[in-house]
C-alpha cells in the first residue's frame, strides 16, 4: 500500500527530469566513428581507387549483396569494372570491411538512406566511391605491394629492398 | 431569452463540452504519460501537438467499420452505444456552476449510481456478442469487477449524503461551504476514487481489457468508430468520475472569488483527470482475484465502517 503511493510519487517526480528523447530530424544522436552504416569505397592518398577487386568482400558477405567484376588498366593495376552493393539486402555487419586487404571498403556513420523505390537502394560504383581516404589515412596498397603497376618501380616501395639480379645469384 | 432556451443551451453546451473534453483527453493522456516517462509525447501536429486529436479522430472515423460474421449482430452494434449513453446521461446531474446543471434532480447521486451500474451492460454485452473467448473472459471479469465495486462506491458516497442531508448534488455542494467533504470523509473519498477507477476500468484496474492477457478483452472484435465509442466512453467515464469527485468531496465550484465558479470546477476536475493518468503511468495491474479480495475484504468493510462512524457522529451531534 505505502509502496504503491511511493511509486506514484516517484513517477510524478519524473516530470521534472530531463527528457531522454532526441528529437530526431532536428537533433541527431551521436554516432561513433566506427559506427556501422552506409558502405563507401575509399581512395588512396594519390587519389586512385583503393579497391583491387579481390572479391574477398563479396565472398565474405553473408547476404550476398556485393557484386563486382575485376579488370585491369593498361599498367596491370587491378580495379573493379563495376562494383554494386544492394543495400536492400545489406545487414551492415561490417564483415566486408574486415575482409578488405586494402582498407578500400569501409562502413561510415550514416544511416539516412531511405528511398521510395527499392531499386534506388542498389548503389553503383559511382555512388559508393568517395573522394577521401575514409577512416585509414596514408595507406596506399601499391606502395607496399611488390608488384609494379605504375605507382612505383620494382623495389622502390616502403621497406622493400631492390630486386635481386638472379644472374649473379649463382653459388 | 426564455427559460426553456437557456435550458436547451445548457444541455447542448454540456453535451458538446463533455464530448470535446473526452476526445481531448486522448492528447492529454498521451502527453502526460510521456511527461512521466521522460519523453515528449505527440508534439509534431500543430502547436505542442494539439492537433493530434484531430488527426486521431480523422483516422478513427475513416477506419473500416468491420462487423465479423460470427458475432451476434444486433447486440454487437448496440453494446458500444450503451457506455456513451449512460455516461453522458450521468453528466445531467453534475452541477458545473450555480445554475449550470442539466437536471437538478433531488435523487442526483442515485441517478449517477444507476447510470454507472447500467454501464456494466456495455462490457457484458460486448463480451458476449463478440463470440470470442477472450472477449467473453473480458466481459465476465468486467461484470464481476463493476458489480462488486459498484457496491461500495454507493456506500462510500452515503457519508457525504449523511453530512449534506440530501441526495441533490447542488445541495451537497452548498453543504461544503464551510469545509470540503474530503476532510471529514477522507476514507470515503479514497474508496470512491478507487471504486471510480475500477468503474471506468482504467489502469491499474483495466482487468476486462488486460492487453497482455486478453488481447483487448471485451472490445477485441471491435473496429472503427465502434471501438472509438468504447474509447471515448472510457474517457467520458474518467471525466465523469473526476467531476463527481470534485462535486462530492472537493466543493464543486466553490473557491476564492477571483476566478469564476466554472473555472474552479474545471481546475479541480482536470487535476483529478491528471491523477487518473498518473496512476496509469505508475501502478501495475493487480491479478483478478487480488482485485476481488481487495474489494470485498478491505474496501467494503471500510466503507461500511466509514458509514457507521459518520452516521453515529452526526446523530450524536444532533
Amino acid at each position: 500500500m505505502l509502496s504503491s503511493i511511493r511509486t506514484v510519487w516517484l513517477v510524478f517526480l519524473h516530470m521534472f527530469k530531463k527528457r531522454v528523447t532526441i528529437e530526431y530530424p532536428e537533433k541527431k544522436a551521436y554516432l561513433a566513428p566506427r559506427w556501422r552504416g552506409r558502405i563507401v569505397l575509399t581512395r588512396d592518398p594519390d587519389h586512385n581507387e583503393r579497391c583491387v577487386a579481390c572479391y574477398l568482400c563479396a565472398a565474405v558477405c553473408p547476404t550476398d549483396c556485393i557484386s563486382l567484376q575485376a579488370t585491369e588498366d593498361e599498367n596491370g593495376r587491378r580495379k573493379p569494372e563495376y562494383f554494386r552493393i544492394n543495400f536492400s539486402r545489406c545487414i551492415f555487419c561490417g564483415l566486408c570491411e574486415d575482409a578488405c586487404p586494402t582498407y578500400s571498403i569501409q562502413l561510415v556513420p550514416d544511416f539516412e538512406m531511405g528511398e521510395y523505390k527499392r531499386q534506388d537502394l542498389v548503389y553503383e560504383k559511382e555512388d559508393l566511391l568517395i573522394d577521401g581516404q575514409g577512416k585509414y589515412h596514408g595507406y596506399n596498397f601499391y606502395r607496399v605491394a611488390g608488384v609494379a603497376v605504375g605507382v612505383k618501380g620494382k623495389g622502390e616501395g616502403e621497406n622493400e629492398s631492390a630486386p635481386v639480379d638472379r644472374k649473379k645469384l649463382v653459388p | 431569452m426564455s427559460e426553456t432556451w437557456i435550458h436547451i443551451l445548457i444541455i447542448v453546451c454540456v453535451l458538446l463540452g463533455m464530448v470535446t473534453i473526452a476526445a481531448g483527453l486522448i492528447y492529454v493522456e498521451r502527453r502526460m504519460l510521456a511527461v512521466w516517462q521522460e519523453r515528449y509525447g505527440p508534439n509534431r501536429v500543430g502547436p505542442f501537438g494539439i492537433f493530434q486529436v484531430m488527426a486521431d479522430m480523422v483516422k478513427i472515423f475513416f477506419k473500416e467499420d468491420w462487423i465479423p460474421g460470427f458475432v451476434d449482430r444486433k447486440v454487437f452494434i448496440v453494446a458500444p452505444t450503451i457506455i456513451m449513453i449512460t455516461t453522458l446521461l450521468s453528466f445531467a446531474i453534475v452541477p458545473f456552476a450555480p445554475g449550470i446543471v442539466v437536471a437538478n434532480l433531488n435523487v442526483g447521486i442515485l441517478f449517477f449510481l444507476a447510470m454507472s451500474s447500467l454501464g456494466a451492460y456495455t462490457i457484458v454485452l460486448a463480451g458476449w456478442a463478440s463470440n470470442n473467448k477472450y472477449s467473453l473472459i473480458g466481459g465476465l471479469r468486467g461484470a464481476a469487477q463493476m458489480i462488486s465495486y459498484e457496491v461500495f462506491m454507493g456506500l462510500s458516497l452515503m457519508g457525504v449524503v449523511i453530512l449534506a442531508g440530501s441526495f441533490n448534488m447542488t445541495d451537497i455542494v452548498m453543504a461544503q461551504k464551510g469545509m470540503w467533504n474530503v476532510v471529514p470523509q477522507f476514507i470515503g473519498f479514497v474508496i470512491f476514487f478507487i471504486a471510480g477507477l475500477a468503474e471506468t476500468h482504467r489502469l491499474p484496474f483495466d482487468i476486462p481489457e488486460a492487453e497482455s492477457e486478453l488481447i483487448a478483452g471485451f472490445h477485441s472484435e471491435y473496429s472503427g468508430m465502434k471501438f472509438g465509442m468504447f474509447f471515448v466512453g472510457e474517457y467520458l467515464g474518467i471525466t465523469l468520475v473526476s467531476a463527481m469527485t470534485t462535486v462530492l468531496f472537493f466543493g464543486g465550484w466553490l473557491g476564492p472569488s477571483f476566478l469564476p465558479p466554472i473555472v474552479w470546477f474545471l481546475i479541480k476536475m482536470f487535476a483529478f483527470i491528471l491523477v487518473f493518468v498518473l496512476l496509469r503511468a505508475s501502478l501495475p495491474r493487480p491479478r483478478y482475484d487480488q482485485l476481488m479480495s481487495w474489494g470485498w475484504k478491505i474496501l467494503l468493510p471500510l466503507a461500511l465502517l466509514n458509514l457507521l462512524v459518520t452516521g453515529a457522529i452526526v446523530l450524536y451531534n444532533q
Side-chain angles (χ1 to χ4, degrees), chain A residues 115-158:
Chain A
E115 297 284 356
Y116 286 101
K117 286 200 298 257
R118 198 161 279 249
Q119 193 57 40
D120 291 346
L121 282 167
V122 178
Y123 279 42
E124 294 295 335
K125 191 166 133 185
E126 305 84 70
D127 309 318
L128 295 167
L129 208 57
I130 62 167
D131 278 341
Q133 301 176 37
K135 290 180 269 189
Y136 306 101
H137 287 273
Y139 180 74
N140 190 334
F141 173 70
Y142 283 108
R143 289 228 175 270
V144 292
V147 287
V149 291
V151 177
K152 60 157 182 61
K154 234 176 158 42
E156 291 169 14
E158 297 161 24

Side-chain angles (χ1 to χ4, degrees), chain B residues 126-149:
Chain B
W128 175 253
S130 293
N131 203 0
N132 168 328
K133 283 174 207 150
Y134 291 116
S135 296
L136 187 61
I137 296 173
L140 213 61
R141 288 181 178 190
Q145 172 179 335
M146 287 181 88
I147 288 167
S148 43
Y149 275 67

Side-chain angles (χ1 to χ4, degrees), chain B residues 58 172 227:
Chain B
V58 167
I172 289 172
F227 166 74

